[in-house]
Amino acid sequence: MSKEKTLIIGGGQAACQTATSLKNKKYDGEIKIFCSENYLPYQRPPLSKKFLMGELDKERLFFKPEKFYTENQIAINLNSYVQRIDIENKEIFLKDNKKENYDNLVIATGTIPRQIDVDKKISDKVFYLRSIEDVLQIRGKIKESNKVTIIGGGYIGLEVAAIINKLGLQVTIVEMASRILERVTSETISSFYTKIHKQAGVEVLTNTSVEGLEKNNKGVEVITSNGVIVSDFVIVGIGVLPCDTLALESGIDAKNGIIVDEFCRTSNDYIFSAGDCTMHPNIFYNKNIRLESVHNAIEQGKTVAASIMGENISYNQIPWFWSDQYETKLQIAGLLDNYDDIVVRGDTKNQSFAVFYTKENRITASDCVNRPAEHMMSRKLISEKILIDKDRLSDETIPIKEVAN
Ligand SMILES: Cc1cc2nc3c(=O)[nH]c(=O)nc-3n(C[C@H](O)[C@H](O)[C@H](O)COP(=O)(O)OP(=O)(O)OC[C@H]3O[C@@H](n4cnc5c(N)ncnc54)[C@H](O)[C@@H]3O)c2cc1C
């Protein structure tokens, strides 16, 4: 009898975790990964941090060396874009129309950056940051430039601004909203990060939309609602879109992400999905969400492996994420959309404090700047829905472990 076969589309965090977890669980079927990129699965967070800075070698980005895949009989097919899934016949089709059948299929296709419309003659001055290739190009450009404009004041834009500023270039951030990070955090955190970027010499323009990009003899003119900024090049960081078209066109339910249940199973019984591309239920917030975070990709990869093994262990995680800018590590736990009060522990004038978002005396989310203990504790307090005493929470003389009511 032929062995069971699991195919994994995508070669990022979620794909690598799924394959690794299957092996850890002694899955004895065949495992094949198909990834459109030409690198072994690698971590993306350093791309906008140490790798952009030039402080980390490319090889250090890979989750596993090549021999891990060979030794574990995980067939890894790079430069292999999957174009179509035939869910009736349980087959996938590659670029060259080669096909491969499956028993289980995992879609871990991640996201792609949202693009802006630009004229072809200027496209060599406009960059996005998602892959190793993107960073290699940007690093080359940094060497020959003095001034960069970053469109978008989200986490990636801000991390990139901090690194390029450290590398000695003049940086301007252009943000359409009234404050940076508006979509993802509170005024308190936005003000803190605006301040540290400005102190470092970065220009932060809010309430400013980009109306066009024009080539000039030095580089590019960024035409904004508040005037023209002349730059050598532009980096765009205005969010991402889930890669769910492949699923959708194959008849799998998707809407702002591939829809999965708590076992990461899609609308098709033999197809699972994990990572940034999923729209999944979160039991702590009682709604479907899409996350762009390493933790989610890892945990969903584990959930998929468990489901394939018939273990049915449901995914139930408090979202968390981090961002490194200058000397600060921001750790974010929970979702921000559900709070009626904010409690600050520590002084936001220092680079070490924690902001807790509470609802009816329970923490629903937190932003901790250089405060790992508070971050870890808040994940516990959120997941266990523990009643807290807000006065104790804001009082630094009381250990964070003793803030429960
Ligand atoms: C610059 C940057 C910084 C980040 N920093 C942080 C951070 O500090 N903390 C944090 O928690 N998260 C961070 N993230 C997010 C984190 O990296 C992602 O959440 C994580 O990589 C998601 O993994 P994934 O496997 O779902 O998707 P991805 O890593 O996007 O992998 C998907 C892969 O699938 C491939 N693919 C897509 N379609 C096809 C197809 N049809 N056929 C074959 N292959 C296909 C893609 O090329 C890609 O290689 C960062 C992301 C970026 C880009």
Side-chain angles (χ1 to χ4, degrees), residues 158-177:
L158 296 180
E159 289 186 349
V160 170
I163 296 290
I164 297 185
N165 166 273
K166 272 194 195 168
L167 291 170
L169 277 71
Q170 205 184 323
V171 181
T172 303
I173 298 170
V174 180
E175 169 56 56
M176 196 166 72

Side-chain angles (χ1 to χ4, degrees), residues 10 13-14 36-37 44 48-49 82 109 130 275-276 293-294 322:
Q13 187 98 47
S36 50
E37 286 189 74
R44 292 186 201 274
S48 50
K49 306 175 181 77
V82 177
T109 44
R130 181 81 200 165
D276 283 14
S293 88
V294 162
W322 76 93

